[in-house]
Structures are given as C-alpha cells and as structure tokens.
Amino acid sequence: IRDRYQRRVRGDIFLPRMRHIYIASFLLLLALLVSTRTQVAQNRVLVLLEDLNLQHTHSIFFSQLKERGYQLNFFSADDPSLALTEYGEYLYDQLILFAPTIDEFGGLIDVPSILDFIDDGHNLLLVADIGVSDPIREIASECGVEFDEENTRVIDHLNFDIRDFDGYHDLVVIDPSTDKDQITQNKVVLPTAQKHGPILYKGITQSLEGSLNFPILTGSHSSYSANIKSSAEIPRTIGKETVLVSALQARNNARVVISGSLSLFSDRFFASNAQKYRKDSSTTPKASGNYQFALELSQWVFNERGVLKASNIRHYLAEEKVTPSVYTIKQDVTYEIELQEWNGNSWVPFVTDGLQLEVIMLDPYIRTSFKANTTGRYSVTFKLPDVYGVFTFKVLFEQVGYSSLEINDRIPVRPFRHNEYERFIPTAYPYYASCFSMLVGLFLFSVVYLFSK
C-alpha cells in the first residue's frame, strides 16, 4: 500500500511538471519562429499621410504591404497624438512619409526625432512631389539628398507619355528594357529591373550629395529640371544628373529611399498603360511597371532582401586546430567565418569573392582574400608577422545594396621565448664555419709546433 501511494504521489507530481515543460517548449518554439521574421523585416509601420484620402488613391501599394505581413498604422502627418517612442522604446520599426508639403508634424514627431529614428537603425520611405516643404527638405538634406527648387519638375521632350502631347511633357516614361542606363542594375535592390514595364514618373528631381547615396532611377540625356512658369530660368540639373529616385545605405545599416514623385506609387499609375510619343507611331502601349518597381523597392528598404549576418566565427592554429589564449609571432593561423543572406523567407548561404581579412596593429600588416565554398563558409590561412603586440583580425564587407558587416577580434601576439629560438640559424653558418676552422687550425698549429725539430 505504501509503494502504491508513493508511485501515485510521484505520478501526480511528475505529470503536471511534464505538461509545464511541453507548454514552455511550445511557447519557446513559437517565439523563435516569430523572432525569425521580426529580426529581419520588422513589421510595425507608421504611415504619415498629407491627406488621409491617400489611403484610397494609393490603396494598391498599401495593400501589397499588408499582404506581406506589415501592420500599417495610418495617421495624418499633423495629428496631435503622433509619437515614435513611448517609455524610451520605439513603437514602430519602419516609417513611410507621404506628406510632401507638410509644414509641421503633429504630436511628438519632428525632424530631429525622425533623424534619430534613422540613426537608431530604422528604415524610411520618403516621398516628395513638385511642392516640397522645408521639413521634408531638411530630412532629405540630412540623408544626403537635395531637392530642386520649388515648383520645378523633370521635363523630357523626347521621352514623354503620348497623353502628355499637349502638356508640358513632364509625364516622363522610363522603359527598363531599352533605357538600361536609367535604372539601377543592382540585383539586390531591383532583382528584375530589366523585366519591368515602362515606368511613369511625374515629379521633382534631386541631386545626391553624400558618398553613401546611390541613384535608383534617373532621367535620360534629354531630360532636365525647370519651372514651367519661368521659361527664362536656366535648368539646375540636366541629362543623367536628373535623379528621380535614390537610396541611402547608412553605416548603421539603416535604409532610406527617397522619391520625388508621389504619383509614382498611385493606383492610377499602377493601372495605366505607358506609351512613349514618337512621330512615326512606332511604339505600342504597354502596362506600366510602376507596381513591380514599387514592390521591389519596398522589399529592399524594409530589409526583406540584402541583409547579411555572420556566424561560426573562429580562428585557430593551422596545424593543431586549437585557439590559444596568446598567439606567437610567425605562427600559421586559420580564420574561418560563415555568411548568410536573408532572401525574404529564410537564411541562405552567401557567396562572394570580395571578402577580405586584415591583420591590423595601427596599420594593416596583412591583407588577404578569403576562399569560399558553396555553403557560404570562408577560410584563409596566413602567417602572423614577426612583430609582437595586440593585433586586430578585421573583416569588413561593404557592397551597394547589402547590409555592411564589420567583425573585429583582438588577439595578443607574443615574441619567442628563450627556448623557442632555432638552435642553428642558417644565416650564421659562415660564422659557425669560421669558429670551427680556427679550432682546427689551432690544433694543427699545436701539433706542428710541438713535434717539429
């Protein structure tokens, strides 16, 4: 009876514990699955609109964001209840700013708070138009972009849509299949750029001032920026300098896309046909590529593509395959690292031939390239310099479109101990020979001297 009672007690205690373990394991697995999505493309998006009617005129763009799992929070840009942070924590992960002419933001949002949002590693999609307010210009300027003057717009008398024949020719058509130099060929930012249909653009131009900015969409050689109300005004930008859409990949891996056209993301342009005007009527109408262009652009700026991470980083002695606490000069060392890229759904191996390792102490002593295999595993073997001190193993990867990687490992390097030097140095062989030759000579001289008469 006692044994039966003890087994029953143990069972009553054991079963609830097992249930708690199962529940905890399930919750942990669920948290890991959710974190995989949120670590790369955070889904809380604040959308600031100049007019709430933009939800309807740009509904296709916002709908495809919702289909990809983003939680869109729409507010008027001057809403008095606006805030980016609460109790020191950000309420949103991404920011979409569709308010080109807003003079003052509402609530607790202002230009410095938006810049702080970017400085803390968050992403921004900024859309301007022909009229640009001072706050929008200030944000763009801090991101390395200068918009053209008020009421100017891009004009192209050779590449305009046929519907604008009697207008100002400011409804510009960019056909990626023929105008390859006007759209970025970076496969990370726009994977299918050449397959896009003609892109319709109507808006202001911009110029790039920062070294981290790069153009995504530009005008043709015949395009220019001008004020249609002042024909005598000299164009500020002409030809390829008329940048229409640009991007910024900041050093903290924050991403900013700046467009000079609000209509670029509109339902009207998404559903329109585009046809360049030609006197001989040699062109035919084609479905516009604005939707695909906006889709891929938003995927990149919201970290759904081009995000890299490093894992399984180790360095060790090449022969012994162990990592000592202190290395010795002139030892052979192997450095290994594994790189992965987020493709929108999962982490996949990332393979490139542009990854290098630097061994630095104030200045680089060694700079060598890694060798990669198909699984994204990189390795390189090198000999430590004949200099002791604290060295840094530095891996720095920066490429347009990809998030940057910087990995630093500081390791001490000591000189040889007294018993680790070579017993016989090859360069000293002549001196060794001279010593032994003198001993032999002295012996022979002594024999001759002692036994000679």
Side-chain angles (χ1 to χ4, degrees):
I1 294 173
R2 182 184 304 169
D3 294 340
R4 185 183 302 172
Y5 173 76
Q6 290 177 351
R7 286 196 300 270
R8 180 179 176 183
V9 171
R10 286 196 298 267
D12 291 343
I13 296 175
F14 177 73
L15 290 177
R17 286 182 177 176
M18 289 301 297
R19 282 196 294 268
H20 292 161
I21 292 173
Y22 291 147
I23 293 173
S25 301
F26 174 76
L27 293 176
L28 179 61
L29 179 61
L30 182 62
L32 290 175
L33 292 175
V34 172
S35 65
T36 302
R37 173 70 174 89
T38 57
Q39 284 174 0
V40 180
Q42 303 291 335
N43 58 5
R44 300 174 301 171
V45 183
L46 174 62
V47 184
L48 298 183
L49 304 176
E50 186 175 74
D51 186 351
L52 290 178
N53 287 329
L54 290 175
Q55 294 184 61
H56 307 293
T57 58
H58 295 65
S59 61
I60 298 177
F61 175 71
F62 294 129
S63 296
Q64 55 92 8
L65 289 176
K66 292 179 181 179
E67 292 173 359
R68 281 154 44 199
Y70 290 100
Q71 302 172 4
L72 303 185
N73 300 272
F74 295 95
F75 289 93
S76 176
D78 56 0
D79 192 311
S81 64
L82 287 176
L84 280 174
T85 61
E86 186 176 18
Y87 303 116
E89 297 291 334
Y90 280 104
L91 300 173
Y92 307 99
D93 307 304
Q94 326 284 355
L95 176 60
I96 297 177
L97 196 51
F98 278 22
T101 61
I102 187 70
D103 291 324
E104 186 177 358
F105 294 102
L108 301 178
I109 292 183
D110 52 11
V111 172
S113 65
I114 293 177
L115 297 177
D116 290 339
F117 184 77
I118 300 171
D119 290 339
D120 289 332
H122 298 89
N123 307 313
L124 169 66
L125 174 58
L126 174 64
V127 179
D129 211 73
I130 294 172
V132 186
S133 64
D134 290 338
I136 300 300
R137 288 182 180 274
E138 186 176 352
I139 295 172
S141 178
E142 292 294 332
C143 294
V145 171
E146 293 291 339
F147 285 114
D148 206 345
E149 297 178 359
E150 189 75 16
N151 295 322
T152 59
R153 63 192 70 194
V154 59
I155 299 173
D156 195 331
H157 298 297
L158 299 180
N159 297 282
F160 63 92
D161 190 84
I162 195 170
R163 290 169 294 180
D164 195 29
F165 177 76
D166 296 325
Y168 299 106
H169 300 170
D170 58 347
L171 181 55
V172 180
V173 179
I174 302 101
D175 191 347
S177 62
T178 57
D179 308 325
K180 296 180 180 179
D181 58 339
Q182 292 182 238
I183 188 168
T184 181
Q185 300 302 310
N186 191 309
K187 299 299 183 183
V188 183
V189 181
L190 298 178
T192 61
Q194 296 183 7
K195 298 180 181 180
H196 292 180
I199 299 172
L200 295 171
Y201 185 92
K202 186 173 185 176
I204 198 171
T205 65
Q206 51 186 281
S207 57
L208 307 184
E209 307 292 339
S211 59
L212 301 177
N213 300 85
F214 59 94
I216 296 179
L217 196 66
T218 63
S220 67
H221 294 287
S222 57
S223 62
Y224 64 95
S225 176
N227 188 339
I228 59 176
K229 298 180 180 179
S230 177
S231 58
E233 185 177 335
I234 299 176
R236 182 178 177 181
T237 58
I238 58 175
K240 301 294 294 180
E241 295 180 358
T242 54
V243 179
L244 310 180
V245 180
S246 67
L248 165 69
Q249 175 82 55
R251 290 187 175 89
N252 64 349
N253 286 330
R255 294 178 177 181
V256 179
V257 167
I258 300 177
S259 169
S261 172
L262 187 59
S263 301
L264 178 68
F265 301 88
S266 67
D267 296 352
R268 184 166 64 91
F269 277 21
F270 282 0
S272 294
N273 289 330
Q275 181 181 3
K276 283 186 180 182
Y277 171 76
R278 292 291 183 268
K279 290 183 178 180
D280 56 0
S281 301
S282 58
T283 61
T284 57
K286 298 179 182 179
S288 76
N290 288 55
Y291 175 80
Q292 187 66 21
F293 176 79
L295 171 67
E296 294 185 353
L297 199 61
S298 63
Q299 288 176 337
W300 180 82
V301 72
F302 291 155
N303 286 340
E304 294 183 43
R305 189 169 50 249
V307 179
L308 303 179
K309 76 170 183 178
S311 59
N312 298 327
I313 304 169
R314 61 188 296 249
H315 48 83
Y316 52 87
L317 295 175
E319 296 181 356
E320 303 176 12
K321 297 188 180 302
V322 295
T323 303
S325 58
V326 180
Y327 285 97
T328 306
I329 59 174
K330 302 177 71 173
Q331 282 185 323
D332 291 326
V333 178
T334 298
Y335 191 101
E336 292 183 351
I337 186 173
E338 186 174 334
L339 297 185
Q340 292 178 308
E341 176 187 4
W342 180 256
N343 65 359
N345 297 311
S346 60
W347 292 102
V348 296
F350 176 72
V351 179
T352 181
D353 56 357
L355 191 65
Q356 291 186 332
L357 171 71
E358 290 184 335
V359 180
I360 302 172
M361 187 171 64
L362 298 180
D363 294 319
Y365 279 74
I366 298 173
R367 182 180 291 116
T368 182
S369 298
F370 282 96
K371 294 182 180 179
N373 56 23
T374 56
T375 62
R377 188 72 181 174
Y378 297 79
S379 64
V380 61
T381 300
F382 58 94
K383 185 182 291 292
L384 288 174
D386 191 7
V387 179
Y388 60 88
V390 178
F391 282 86
T392 299
F393 292 167
K394 181 177 181 179
V395 178
L396 178 62
F397 181 78
E398 293 178 337
Q399 187 170 325
V400 175
Y402 288 106
S403 58
S404 59
L405 284 176
E406 183 174 359
I407 301 158
N408 295 300
D409 287 328
R410 291 179 176 83
I411 54 100
V413 178
R414 64 170 178 82
F416 289 127
R417 295 191 179 94
H418 70 281
N419 59 348
E420 292 178 333
Y421 287 97
E422 296 182 18
R423 292 299 182 185
F424 297 97
I425 303 174
T427 54
Y429 283 168
Y431 302 97
Y432 302 151
S434 64
C435 292
F436 286 109
S437 64
M438 289 188 64
L439 291 175
V440 173
L442 179 61
F443 176 76
L444 294 176
F445 173 77
S446 301
V447 170
V448 173
Y449 181 81
L450 294 174
F451 293 98
S452 62
K453 293 182 181 179

